[in-house]
């Protein structure tokens, strides 16, 4: 099937600077991808492209059409992206790490900070060019890394701050040799923000602000008699009586070459100085450091974030504190205004948290936090609308698949969550954890309504529930037992013993009450839970069994072993049907500590398996960057998905660079105490998470690219993969696929149009189904009158039912003609109900998609009707009282 990457969940923010394009589109870097969040419609989407490594710097043009993205490597790879189409327009490499970037107000230039340099590049357009980036000017006057800059409203001047404790005014007018920078001195720590202020009366910038890491903000005023060109000071300034007695409020900063020493700058005549320090203000958050700031020019407001999780909003130039609040205990790594200035954006990389706050109403517009440790497990709800995730941060999150938003987080677990499972009623969720508990969550009231425990502490790593939802089973890591509880009473019913290793796989048969379990003792066992007979069948393997799954019809069992094989068993007859050897398919990617090449490296195996809804293919993923899709009947590899191309992760490259290998080991494993890398996922120390398990290792070096869990949606239209970078969603993309089912010389789009013109609606629908063109099928459906729907349904052949049901499911989610489409569905079920029941396995994905669409539609209409009912009752009661 044509699965393509759709979205990334579980990690909305990983570090770098996030920006708001326009008023409502939030753009944030997430690993080597960019996530766009629509703050109005509460929907997020991930751009389809991938960078070669983690992205750390974003800049968006004032019109919101172009996005500049730079990665965190020393090569300075840069992408210019069209925001409306989410496509990469141009790529280039600056050969130095990008520390800051900003578009000019007119969109003609991009200022890029490259270490101690500032380069001004002409902004590429939407046309194809051999080398679209043209360098206009380079400023090399800094003695330390450039941290921030701001353009003047007329795009002629650039205000830049750096780690050398200075802020400089750079001019783009005139010749390069004549334009010397103005220096602003006085800060005691590196500059975090440099901003031009706007004079609303004249429309010019005669004031500037500089913000340093120690929480100081300096206000600078332009001397009135400075020449317009900014090159010289008018002679009449010599008559001005300026006070330079050392008072901070009257300290004059002169126009001079940056190579002059600070003492010489302070001793020169004040008549040559066009800028002066008006006043100093301090945010008073010591010992915390100021880590992020932004300025809104029209409102003349400054927002700042600190390392203790406190943010402040101040009205300038009077330095009036409007808000001072704490949003976390961790460092705020990004802060920004939207274009209108009514929303504030804050990001905390260590917690993976993004907040959008409306300061006028003091309410949250967005509050999203991903898992800040590895995601261990995922599970789809029966209607495929929700996705649950559990991670090493002890949290369980539930996401809406269509919007990509997390709407509830359960944090009662005290250790890593290892398994999650939706109940068949779609209203409750189960989770198992290493803290020794299995918890049941109510998705209506958002509470933990049942907790299952054991007489002595155990660590659970697998979870299963029967079809009726009455029995809950969990496998342990330490005691090698399977515990069985009653869902209604919460009592422990039975303890299944027999395994001699950790039980990492559990699943109930879809057709009976038989429980399958896999263990590291090289066996798969079948248990009769309800009859209490214990183990009724044992399948022996040559290596440790890592996971086990049932086919949806219950007539086949698949399990993966440590040698990279997938074994398929007949659970009814107890015989081995066939085996797929996947070692070569999953191999690839050499880790920095590997002594062998990627082709010869051992230890590649599948840790997660999942059947499709119809059981025709199976997905397999493990400790590799690949996810493999196999045809079950033919035992052949259909497709191999690469979950990431991010070189910031380990195990992505097939060949390592020998230059990175030293006598002390790989360079990536050597700590650099002078590194300026921002706090984020890659720099966190996970420790042992309280597990202290045999074989556990410290988190040294880069994270390893791997897949921990795979799940296919019950509709069969999408699947989710829990990876190192988060939860990747893949869905079927039929928009560019031409797949006719019964093509002939007479089956053409022109013939369909002719049939519609001749009022032969039935023939037109059959031709469009044979052509399998989505737009033509929908056009023919709407061309049939409601009175003729039963007759047309009776003439549809059986082999086209699945395609027609898929079209109905798609139309219910997008078109307003609900009653008409529901009439089609009703008549189709009346006419072909017996065939649908007999072939439910083959039609299951299409039927699940139709059920999902109808359920969502029912919920939306129920909410609307309830709201209208309450409103009418209120109006009627109000009219009676009057």
């Amino acid at each position: 099937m044509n699965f393509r990457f759709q979205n990334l969940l579980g990690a909305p923010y990983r570090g770098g600077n996030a920006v708001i394009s326009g008023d409502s589109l939030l753009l944030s870097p997430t690993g080597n991808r960019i996530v766009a969040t629509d703050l109005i419609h509460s929907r997020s989407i991930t751009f389809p492209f991938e960078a070669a490594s983690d992205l750390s710097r974003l800049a968006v043009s004032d019109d919101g059409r172009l996005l500049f993205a730079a990665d965190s490597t020393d090569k300075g790879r840069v992408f210019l992206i069209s925001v409306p189409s989410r496509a990469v327009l141009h790529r280039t490499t600056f050969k130095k790490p990008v520390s800051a970037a900003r578009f000019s107000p007119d969109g003609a230039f991009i200022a890029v900070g490259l270490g101690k340099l500032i380069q001004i590049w002409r902004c590429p357009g939407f046309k194809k060019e051999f080398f679209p980036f043209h360098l206009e000017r380079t400023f090399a006057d800094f003695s330390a890394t450039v941290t921030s800059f701001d353009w003047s409203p007329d795009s002629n001047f650039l205000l830049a701050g750096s780690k050398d404790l200075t802020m400089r005014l750079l001019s783009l007018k005139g010749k390069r040799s004549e334009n010397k920078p103005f220096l602003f001195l006085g800060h005691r720590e590196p500059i975090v923000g440099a901003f031009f202020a706007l004079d609303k009366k004249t429309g010019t910038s005669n004031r500037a602000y500089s913000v340093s890491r120690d929480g100081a903000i300096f206000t600078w005023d332009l001397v009135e008699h400075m020449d317009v060109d900014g090159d010289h000071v008018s002679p009449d300034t010599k008559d001005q009586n300026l006070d330079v007695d050392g008072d901070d409020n009257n300290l004059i900063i002169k126009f001079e070459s940056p190579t002059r020493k600070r003492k010489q700058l302070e001793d020169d005549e004040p008549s040559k100085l066009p800028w002066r320090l008006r006043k100093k203000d301090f945010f008073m958050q010591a010992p915390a450091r100021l880590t992020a700031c932004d300025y809104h020019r029209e409102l003349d407001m400054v927002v700042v974030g600190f390392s203790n999780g406190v943010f402040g909003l101040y009205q300038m130039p009077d330095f009036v504190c409007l808000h001072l609040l704490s949003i976390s205990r961790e460092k705020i790594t990004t802060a920004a205004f939207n274009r209108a200035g009514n929303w504030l954006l804050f990001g905390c990389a260590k917690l993976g948290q993004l907040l959008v706050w409306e300061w006028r109403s003091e309410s949250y517009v967005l509050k999203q936090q991903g898992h800040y440790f590895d995601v261990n497990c995922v599970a789809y709800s029966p209607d495929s609308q929700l996705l649950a995730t559990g991670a090493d941060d002890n949290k369980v999150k539930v996401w809406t698949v269509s919007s990509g938003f997390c709407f509830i987080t359960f944090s009662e677990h005290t250790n890593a969550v290892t398994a999650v499972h939706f109940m068949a009623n779609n209203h409750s969720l189960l989770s198992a954890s290493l803290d020794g508990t299995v918890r049941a969550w109510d998705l209506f009231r958002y509470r933990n309504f049942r907790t299952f425990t054991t007489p002595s502490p155990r660590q659970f790593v697998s979870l299963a529930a029967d079809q009726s939802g009455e029995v809950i089973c969990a496998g342990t890591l330490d005691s090698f037992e399977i515990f069985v509880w009653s869902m209604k009473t919460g009592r422990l019913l039975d303890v299944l013993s027999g395994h001699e290793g950790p039980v990492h796989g559990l699943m109930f048969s879809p057709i009976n009450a038989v429980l399958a379990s896999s263990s590291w003792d090289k066996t798969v066992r079948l248990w009769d839970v309800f009859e209490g007979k214990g183990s009724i069948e044992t399948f022996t393997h040559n290596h440790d069994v890592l996971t086990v799954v049932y086919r949806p019809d219950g007539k086949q069992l698949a399990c993966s072993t440590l040698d990279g094989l997938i074994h398929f068993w007949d659970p009814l007859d107890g015989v081995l049907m066939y085996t797929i050897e996947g070692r070569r398919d999953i191999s690839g990617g050499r880790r920095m500590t590997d002594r062998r090449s990627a082709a010869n490296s051992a230890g590649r195996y599948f840790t997660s398996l999942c059947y499709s809804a119809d059981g025709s293919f199976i997905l397999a993923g493990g400790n590799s960057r690949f996810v493999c899709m196999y045809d079950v009947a033919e035992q052949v590899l259909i497709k191999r998905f690469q979950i990431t191309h991010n070189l910031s992760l380990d195990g992505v490259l097939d060949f390592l660079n020998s230059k990175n290998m030293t006598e002390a080991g790989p360079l990536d494993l050597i700590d650099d105490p002078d590194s300026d890398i921002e706090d984020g996922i890659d720099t966190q120390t996970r420790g042992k998470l309280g597990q202290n398990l045999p074989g556990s290792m410290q988190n040294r070096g880069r994270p390893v690219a791997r897949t921990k869990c795979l799940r296919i949606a019950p509709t069969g239209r999408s699947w989710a993969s829990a990876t190192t970078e988060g939860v990747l969603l893949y869905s079927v993309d039929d928009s560019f696929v031409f797949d006719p089912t019964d093509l002939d010389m007479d089956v053409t789009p022109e013939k369909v149009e002719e049939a519609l013109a001749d009022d032969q609606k039935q023939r037109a629908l059959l031709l469009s189904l044979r052509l399998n063109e989505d737009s033509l099928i929908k056009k023919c459906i709407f061309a049939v009158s409601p009175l003729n729907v039963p007759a047309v349904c009776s003439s549809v052949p059986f082999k086209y039912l699945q395609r027609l049901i898929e079209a109905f499911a798609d139309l219910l989610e997008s078109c307003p003609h609900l009653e008409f489409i529901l009439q089609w569905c009703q008549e189709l079920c009346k006419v072909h109900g017996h065939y649908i029941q007999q072939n439910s396995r083959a039609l299951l994905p299409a039927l699940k998609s139709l059920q999902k669409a109808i359920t969502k539609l029912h919920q939306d209409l129920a909410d609307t009707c309830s709201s209208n009912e309450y409103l009418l009752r209120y109006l009627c009661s109000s009219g009676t009282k009057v």
Side-chain angles (χ1 to χ4, degrees), residues 531-780:
E531 297 295 333
K533 297 179 180 179
S535 178
I536 58 176
E537 190 78 41
T538 301
F539 303 142
T540 306
H541 302 77
N542 295 327
H543 291 81
D544 296 354
V545 185
L546 305 175
T547 186
V548 63
V549 290
Y550 266 105
R551 200 168 66 181
D553 61 357
K555 298 180 180 179
Q556 192 179 78
L557 193 69
C559 60
S560 65
T561 54
L562 197 61
D563 56 350
L565 302 180
I566 303 177
H567 303 267
F568 295 89
W569 296 85
D570 186 341
L572 303 179
D573 297 335
V575 296
L576 179 65
M577 302 175 66
Y578 32 79
T579 301
I580 294 179
E581 184 174 352
R583 282 175 294 190
R584 293 290 181 182
D585 300 330
I586 199 176
S587 65
R590 184 175 180 180
R591 300 175 187 174
M592 66 180 74
T593 56
D594 287 348
R595 301 301 178 185
R596 300 180 180 179
S597 64
N600 298 325
S601 61
R604 297 291 190 264
Y605 45 82
F606 299 113
T607 58
S608 181
L609 301 175
C610 187
Y611 274 100
S612 63
D614 57 359
S616 60
F617 65 88
I618 190 170
L619 280 176
N623 60 343
S624 170
R625 70 180 192 269
F626 294 112
V627 172
C628 301
M629 178 186 292
Y630 294 97
D631 184 281
V632 176
E634 301 295 333
Q635 301 100 51
V636 295
L637 178 68
I638 301 176
K639 192 173 183 179
R640 191 168 67 164
F641 301 91
Q642 184 168 345
I643 59 174
T644 183
H645 294 82
N646 190 356
L647 300 181
S648 299
L649 302 178
D650 199 9
V652 176
L653 286 175
D654 288 329
F655 301 97
L656 299 181
N657 190 350
S658 59
K659 294 180 180 180
N660 295 330
M661 184 61 67
T662 65
E663 294 181 357
L667 284 176
D668 294 319
L669 292 180
I670 301 176
D671 294 334
D672 183 9
D674 299 326
S675 176
D676 292 332
I677 299 177
E678 296 183 4
D679 291 338
I681 296 298
D682 296 342
T683 57
Q684 291 182 25
T685 303
R686 306 185 190 185
K688 295 184 179 180
L689 295 176
Q691 300 175 23
N692 198 22
L693 304 176
S696 63
M697 298 176 62
Q698 297 179 358
N699 182 30
R700 295 175 297 183
R702 295 178 296 178
V704 180
R706 66 179 64 184
T707 300
K708 288 193 172 183
C709 186
L710 286 171
R711 289 294 181 269
I712 296 181
T715 59
R717 306 285 293 177
S718 63
W719 56 273
S721 173
T723 68
T724 308
E725 293 188 306
V727 180
L728 304 180
L729 293 183
Y730 288 79
S731 63
V732 176
D733 184 8
D734 295 331
S735 55
F736 302 103
V737 178
F738 178 65
D739 186 19
T741 57
D742 191 7
L743 196 60
D744 199 355
M745 292 295 294
D746 297 331
V747 181
T748 62
E750 291 76 13
K751 294 293 183 180
V752 177
E753 298 292 344
E754 291 178 6
L756 290 175
D758 297 339
D759 201 22
Q760 299 178 0
K761 307 296 191 303
Q762 179 177 337
R763 180 171 178 269
L765 180 61
L766 294 180
L767 288 175
S768 64
L769 289 172
R770 293 176 64 184
L771 194 62
N772 200 12
E773 190 72 25
D774 187 65
S775 59
L776 289 178
I777 294 175
K778 294 177 181 178
K779 185 177 182 179
C780 294

Side-chain angles (χ1 to χ4, degrees), residues 30 59 89 208 258 342 364 367 464 568 682 737 809 830 871:
T30 303
L89 302 177
N342 56 337
Y364 283 108
K367 192 174 183 180
F568 295 89
D682 296 342
V737 178
K830 286 181 179 179
L871 180 59

Side-chain angles (χ1 to χ4, degrees), residues 37-232:
T37 304
D38 189 342
L39 301 176
I40 300 295
H41 301 94
S42 298
R43 184 183 298 271
S44 68
I45 188 69
T46 305
F47 284 17
F49 78 96
E50 283 188 83
S53 56
D54 288 344
L55 297 173
S56 62
R57 192 62 53 186
L58 299 183
V60 65
S61 60
D62 284 1
D63 59 4
R65 299 178 61 191
L66 293 177
L67 177 66
F68 177 93
D71 66 8
S72 57
T73 62
D74 294 337
K75 296 181 179 180
R77 301 186 187 93
V78 167
F79 304 86
L80 191 69
I81 306 158
S82 171
V83 176
S85 62
R86 302 193 293 273
V88 177
L89 302 177
H90 306 289
R91 304 169 187 255
T92 188
T93 302
F94 288 148
K95 299 180 181 180
K96 290 185 179 180
V98 178
S99 58
R102 189 144 191 170
F103 281 88
S104 62
D106 57 5
F109 302 99
I110 305 175
V112 182
L114 302 173
K116 300 178 183 180
L117 303 178
I118 292 181
Q119 294 183 348
I120 309 299
W121 296 80
R122 182 165 295 278
C123 182
F126 289 90
K127 297 180 181 180
K128 289 185 177 181
E129 301 178 56
F130 177 73
F131 188 76
F133 288 88
H134 298 282
L135 181 62
E136 295 290 332
R137 185 164 298 185
T138 300
F139 298 97
D141 302 307
F142 297 90
S143 59
T145 303
V146 177
T147 56
S148 65
F149 36 70
D150 189 22
W151 288 87
S152 61
D154 57 2
S155 301
N156 290 328
F157 297 92
L158 191 69
L159 198 62
S162 72
K163 291 185 177 181
D164 61 3
L165 315 185
T166 65
M167 184 175 70
R168 308 184 187 211
L169 181 62
L170 310 173
S171 175
L172 276 69
K173 299 172 61 178
K175 298 181 180 180
R176 299 182 183 181
S177 59
E178 298 176 356
N179 292 328
K180 297 181 180 180
F182 295 90
L183 266 70
F184 300 82
L185 306 175
H187 283 286
R188 298 182 178 180
E189 290 203 19
I191 305 296
V192 178
F195 309 106
F196 274 112
L198 180 66
D199 189 347
K200 297 182 180 179
K201 294 181 180 180
T202 62
T204 59
S205 296
N206 55 8
R207 189 169 67 252
Y209 301 110
S210 59
V211 184
S212 61
R213 195 170 58 186
D214 59 352
I217 179 170
F218 290 1
T219 303
W220 307 88
D221 280 346
L222 180 65
V223 177
E224 295 181 358
H225 299 281
M226 188 184 73
D227 189 15
V228 176
D229 293 335
D231 296 332
H232 305 284

Side-chain angles (χ1 to χ4, degrees), residues 248-513:
D248 289 339
N249 291 329
N250 296 317
L251 179 63
I252 306 301
I253 304 304
K254 71 172 195 171
F255 163 66
E256 188 48 72
S257 170
T259 58
R260 300 280 303 272
K261 296 181 180 180
R262 181 182 300 185
K263 186 176 184 304
Q264 293 175 333
L265 290 172
E266 294 174 350
D267 293 340
D268 274 337
E269 296 180 2
S271 60
K272 298 180 181 179
L273 308 180
W275 288 83
R276 67 178 179 181
L277 179 64
R278 177 181 176 182
K279 65 172 183 175
K280 295 182 179 179
D281 295 300
F282 297 91
F283 295 106
M284 306 302 291
Q285 288 293 323
R289 287 290 180 261
L290 192 146
T291 54
C293 66
D294 194 22
Y295 174 72
H296 196 276
R297 190 171 292 167
E298 284 73 18
L299 297 179
D300 200 11
M301 290 184 179
V302 173
V303 59
V304 291
F306 297 91
S307 58
N308 57 358
V310 175
F311 78 89
L313 180 65
Y314 293 83
Q315 181 69 58
M316 303 301 292
D318 299 329
F319 196 68
V320 177
C321 181
L322 303 179
H323 294 283
L324 189 64
L325 299 173
S326 176
I327 57 177
S328 71
R329 296 182 179 179
E330 301 297 338
K331 167 183 168 183
I332 296 176
T333 53
T334 184
F337 282 97
N338 70 332
R339 183 165 55 187
N342 56 337
W343 290 350
L344 306 177
L345 164 66
F346 302 101
C348 179
K350 192 171 184 180
L351 299 178
Q353 187 178 48
L354 278 178
L355 303 174
V356 177
W357 192 67
E358 187 176 11
W359 62 271
R360 287 191 174 94
S361 63
E362 301 184 12
S363 61
Y364 283 108
V365 178
L366 172 74
K367 192 174 183 180
Q368 287 290 300
Q369 180 178 356
H371 293 289
Y372 49 92
F373 285 148
D374 285 351
V375 179
N376 294 325
C377 49
V378 295
Y380 272 101
S381 62
D383 59 1
S384 301
Q385 294 188 20
L386 304 179
L387 186 74
T389 58
D392 283 341
D393 59 0
N394 313 341
K395 295 180 180 179
V396 176
K397 291 180 176 289
V398 185
W399 309 77
T400 304
V401 176
S402 59
S403 66
F405 270 43
C406 172
F407 64 90
I408 186 61
T409 300
F410 301 111
S411 55
E412 278 80 353
H413 283 295
T414 58
N415 211 327
V417 180
T418 55
V420 289
H421 179 81
F422 270 98
M423 301 299 290
N425 58 10
N426 204 41
H427 301 154
S428 55
L429 173 70
L430 298 174
S431 63
S433 171
L434 293 178
D435 62 2
T437 63
V438 174
R439 297 178 182 267
W441 313 94
D442 188 346
L443 296 182
F444 280 162
R445 299 176 178 86
Y446 303 139
R447 63 184 181 90
N448 176 210
F449 68 91
R450 190 86 73 226
T451 302
F452 306 97
T453 58
T454 57
S456 57
R458 294 288 184 267
Q459 293 181 318
F460 296 113
V461 291
S462 56
L463 182 65
D466 71 327
Q467 296 297 317
S468 64
E470 296 180 357
V471 173
I472 310 299
C473 298
T476 59
L477 184 69
D478 43 8
S479 65
F480 316 146
E481 298 169 327
I482 302 174
F483 291 86
V484 183
W485 296 275
S486 170
M487 183 66 180
K488 292 183 178 180
T489 63
R491 294 178 55 188
L492 181 63
L493 300 179
D494 197 1
V495 178
L496 306 179
S497 302
H499 280 298
E500 299 176 358
V503 183
H504 267 269
L506 280 181
M507 190 173 185
F508 272 97
S509 171
I511 57 176
N512 51 40

